[in-house]
Amino acid sequence: MLPSEHRLRRREDFATAVRRGRRAGRPLLVVHLRSGVTDPHAAGENPPPARAGFVVSKAIGGAVVRNKVKRRLRHLVHDRLDRLPAGSLVVVRALPGAGDAGHDQLARDLDAALQRLLDGNSPTRGQGRAPR
């Protein structure tokens, strides 16, 4: 389970991660990462924790399948929170094949996308596509 302080809840936070963050796509999911965002609503001197949100549309399947995918993604992201910079915003968007994929396949795609984003090999919006 993803602790409450690590969850994205506000629409503005999702929009910030998607619009201003970097993106890495894989066959089963797309990960958006906005590094080092400070939350103006948080008080105190401690750096804010990394927070994650999930987008699982009806294209994935029925309610049971969508909830299964969300549970799997929450569990996978929880295990990888220590790899994310403090204050970062992460949005994981499931693609239609995610409903039929197993836990290991989702884990591989999430790891590959996060690795690409954390290594800095993913272009930001406006810089064009990476050469093939």
Side-chain angles (χ1 to χ4, degrees), residues 66-81:
R66 289 195 313 269
N67 286 327
K68 178 179 73 170
V69 170
K70 280 188 275 191
R71 282 193 308 273
R72 285 181 175 173
L73 290 174
R74 276 196 303 264
H75 177 76
L76 291 168
V77 169
H78 177 266
D79 291 344
R80 290 153 179 82
L81 281 173

Side-chain angles (χ1 to χ4, degrees), residues 25-130:
R26 302 296 303 157
L28 299 175
L29 48 88
V30 176
V31 178
H32 300 269
L33 173 68
R34 172 79 170 149
S35 296
V37 176
T38 58
D39 186 2
H41 302 287
E45 298 180 15
N46 292 336
R51 295 182 294 149
F54 306 92
V55 178
V56 183
S57 74
K58 288 185 179 180
I60 304 302
V64 172
V65 174
R66 289 195 313 269
N67 286 327
K68 178 179 73 170
V69 170
K70 280 188 275 191
R71 282 193 308 273
R72 285 181 175 173
L73 290 174
R74 276 196 303 264
H75 177 76
L76 291 168
V77 169
H78 177 266
D79 291 344
R80 290 153 179 82
L81 281 173
D82 58 341
R83 295 174 42 191
L84 301 173
S88 61
L89 304 177
V90 178
V91 173
V92 180
R93 182 168 42 99
L95 297 176
D100 299 324
H103 187 271
D104 293 335
Q105 291 172 303
L106 286 171
R108 276 194 301 272
D109 274 7
L110 181 62
D111 285 336
L114 284 175
Q115 189 66 41
R116 186 172 161 200
L117 289 169
L118 294 172
D119 286 347
N121 293 334
S122 176
T124 57
R125 296 229 164 95
Q127 290 183 347
R129 294 183 147 244

